[in-house]
């Protein structure tokens, strides 16, 4: 341009590299681990070629930049300050509110990125509130030497934290998790997350999914219906010249056969439901099975206002297993196809 400058867009390249990366926690993880795919450092080298015989005249280096494995809506982008979200608002890598519902066996995770300027050690705190109006507070773990922009995965479920074992004779109503530095245990560097303990409905299952900031959130669900779908495609078969009426030129083959499941979340407050809706667009969604996380493909969904005046909403969505069973020829004394959807009981 007239200002002798050029503009380069690397979004497509970075999205292609990072979209399929995810720091999926280990099944029912109970220890703290470091995430490796939340941020990617990148730099660009570019050169100018000119002359009678084009040769490299100038070589430029962009310097080091960081790309977050997440996304935000277009209306949020102007003036968006990611570091302010971390340092001023003290967010974990999640758009969930600081009050969420959970079950005793639900898997919950908090992803926290160190926004401080140097390698720092942190203390993780747990405070449990009981039905007799008493509390119990413990610093349940220390994270040592976390570098700037490194992210720690913190298991935060009721069972994962061993909430029941703190005061075995008491009944907890909710519990809170937060972080401080070791040097200053009175000042939170991550906002206090409160988990309200709810009773599970008779029909229940839950999912974890990569949210729009790169961490993993949980959606608790209470209902499900299943539809068996078979998709076919037509073809024209060869017909001999002396064909009979019993012959057919038009035949159909099974293109795809799968089960589609429709489910809905438990009642959620609006802010919580809007964050849970991110499961619809997430490329990494997992059903929590009995012994492992089962990857699923979410086909679509929406928010239902059950009682807007009372702030009661539900997220409804349809999904299918990413690995599907397929029909196979039966071979005597041979191996038969496995139904991936039944590998785990749910």
């Amino acid at each position: 341009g007239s200002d002798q400058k050029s503009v380069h867009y690397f979004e497509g390249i970075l999205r292609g590299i990072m979209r399929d990366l995810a720091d999926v926690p280990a099944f029912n993880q109970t220890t703290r681990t470091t995430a490796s795919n939340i941020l990617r450092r990148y730099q660009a080298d570019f050169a100018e070629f000119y002359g009678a015989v084009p040769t490299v005249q100038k070589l430029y280096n962009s310097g080091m930049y960081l790309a977050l494995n997440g996304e935000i809506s277009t209306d949020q982008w102007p003036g968006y300050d990611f570091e302010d979200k971390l340092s001023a608002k003290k967010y974990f890598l999640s758009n969930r509110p600081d009050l969420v519902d959970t079950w005793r066996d639900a898997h919950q995770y908090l992803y926290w990125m160190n926004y401080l300027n140097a390698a720092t050690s942190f203390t993780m705190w747990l405070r449990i509130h009981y039905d007799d109006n008493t509390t119990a507070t413990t610093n349940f773990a220390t994270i040592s030497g976390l570098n700037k922009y490194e992210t720690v995965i913190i298991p935060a479920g009721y069972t994962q934290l061993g909430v029941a074992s703190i005061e075995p004779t008491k009944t907890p109503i909710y519990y809170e998790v937060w972080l401080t530095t070791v040097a200053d245990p009175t000042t939170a560097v991550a906002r206090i997350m409160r988990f309200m303990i709810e009773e599970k409905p008779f029909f229940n299952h839950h999912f974890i999914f990569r949210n729009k900031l790169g961490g993993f959130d949980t959606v608790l669900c209470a209902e499900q219906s299943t539809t068996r779908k078979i998709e076919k495609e037509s073809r024209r078969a060869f017909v001999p010249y002396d064909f009979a009426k019993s012959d057919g030129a038009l035949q159909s083959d099974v293109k795809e056969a799968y089960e589609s499941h429709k489910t809905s979340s438990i009642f959620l407050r609006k802010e919580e439901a809007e964050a849970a809706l991110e499961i619809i667009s997430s490329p990494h969604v997992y059903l929590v099975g009995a012994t492992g996380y089962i990857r699923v493909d979410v086909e679509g969904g929406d928010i239902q206002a059950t009682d807007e005046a009372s702030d009661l909403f539900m997220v409804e969505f349809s999904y299918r297993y990413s690995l599907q069973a397929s029909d196979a020829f039966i071979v005597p004394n041979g191996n038969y196809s496995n139904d991936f959807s039944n590998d785990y009981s749910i």
Side-chain angles (χ1 to χ4, degrees), residues 87-312:
S87 59
K89 299 181 177 65
K90 295 181 170 54
Y91 267 60
F92 289 91
L93 293 182
S94 171
N95 289 313
R96 289 192 293 181
D98 55 8
L99 174 63
V100 296
D101 294 330
T102 192
W103 298 329
R104 287 176 175 82
D105 62 350
H107 298 191
Q108 300 280 358
Y109 298 97
L110 297 173
Y111 285 59
W112 188 75
M113 181 183 292
N114 178 16
Y115 56 83
L116 301 179
N117 289 322
T120 311
S121 294
F122 299 91
T123 301
M124 291 182 287
W125 296 87
L126 170 66
R127 179 186 294 128
I128 308 168
H129 296 253
Y130 298 98
D131 63 354
D132 61 358
N133 293 322
T134 62
T135 63
T137 303
T138 177
N139 52 342
F140 65 91
T142 299
I143 307 169
S144 300
L146 194 68
N147 295 316
K148 185 174 184 179
Y149 296 132
E150 279 190 318
T151 298
V152 62
I153 304 173
I154 305 169
Y158 178 94
T159 301
Q160 293 165 299
L161 291 173
V163 171
S165 64
I166 304 299
E167 293 281 359
T169 60
K170 294 186 177 183
T171 303
I173 301 174
Y174 65 92
Y175 60 93
E176 297 167 315
V177 178
W178 71 99
L179 274 76
T180 67
T181 63
V182 170
D184 183 6
T186 61
T187 304
V189 295
R191 64 179 183 167
I192 298 175
M193 290 293 295
R194 178 178 295 180
F195 294 88
M196 302 298 298
I197 304 166
E198 303 289 348
E199 294 299 325
K200 288 198 305 183
F202 183 77
F203 294 104
N204 64 82
H205 49 287
H206 63 295
F207 301 80
I208 63 169
F209 68 95
R210 195 186 78 185
N211 62 42
K212 290 188 175 182
L213 293 178
F216 270 76
D217 289 343
T218 300
V219 175
L220 309 178
C221 293
E223 298 179 0
Q224 180 164 295
S225 61
T226 301
T227 303
R228 181 77 174 180
K229 294 187 176 182
I230 299 177
E231 297 180 8
K232 303 182 75 175
E233 58 183 358
S234 300
R235 62 180 173 84
R236 289 192 173 275
F238 171 76
V239 178
Y241 76 93
D242 57 344
F243 65 88
K245 290 183 178 180
S246 58
D247 294 322
L250 186 63
Q251 299 180 17
S252 296
D253 296 322
V254 174
K255 180 181 179 181
E256 192 174 15
Y258 61 92
E259 288 183 345
S260 178
H261 308 277
K262 186 174 183 179
T263 189
S264 60
S265 71
I266 62 173
F267 292 129
L268 303 171
R269 291 164 288 276
K270 185 177 182 180
E271 190 178 0
E272 192 177 0
E274 289 175 342
L277 192 64
E278 293 179 12
I279 195 173
I280 310 299
S281 57
S282 174
H284 296 273
V285 183
Y286 300 85
L287 173 67
V288 179
T291 57
Y293 295 137
I294 311 164
R295 189 162 183 175
V296 302
D297 175 53
V298 175
E299 301 170 298
D302 54 31
I303 287 180
Q304 298 288 333
T306 305
D307 186 347
E308 195 163 359
S310 300
D311 198 20
L312 292 177

Side-chain angles (χ1 to χ4, degrees), residues 4-81:
Q4 303 298 306
K5 295 181 179 180
S6 61
V7 179
H8 303 268
Y9 293 95
F10 302 111
E11 177 188 357
I13 298 172
L14 292 169
R15 181 184 291 271
I17 294 172
M18 300 180 71
R19 181 172 173 81
D20 291 332
L21 301 176
D23 290 287
V24 185
F27 180 74
N28 204 20
Q29 179 174 322
T30 56
T31 57
R32 275 66 57 195
T33 55
T34 303
S36 57
N37 295 301
I38 299 293
L39 286 179
R40 274 289 185 269
R41 290 178 170 83
Y42 71 94
Q43 60 183 4
D45 294 323
F46 51 98
E48 293 183 10
F49 290 78
Y50 54 85
V53 178
T55 56
V56 176
Q57 301 294 331
K58 291 186 177 181
L59 181 66
Y60 298 90
N61 178 271
S62 67
M64 189 67 67
Y65 287 87
L66 295 171
L68 177 71
N69 194 358
E71 55 189 20
I72 61 174
S73 60
T74 306
D75 63 310
Q76 289 180 298
W77 174 249
Y80 185 83
D81 188 337

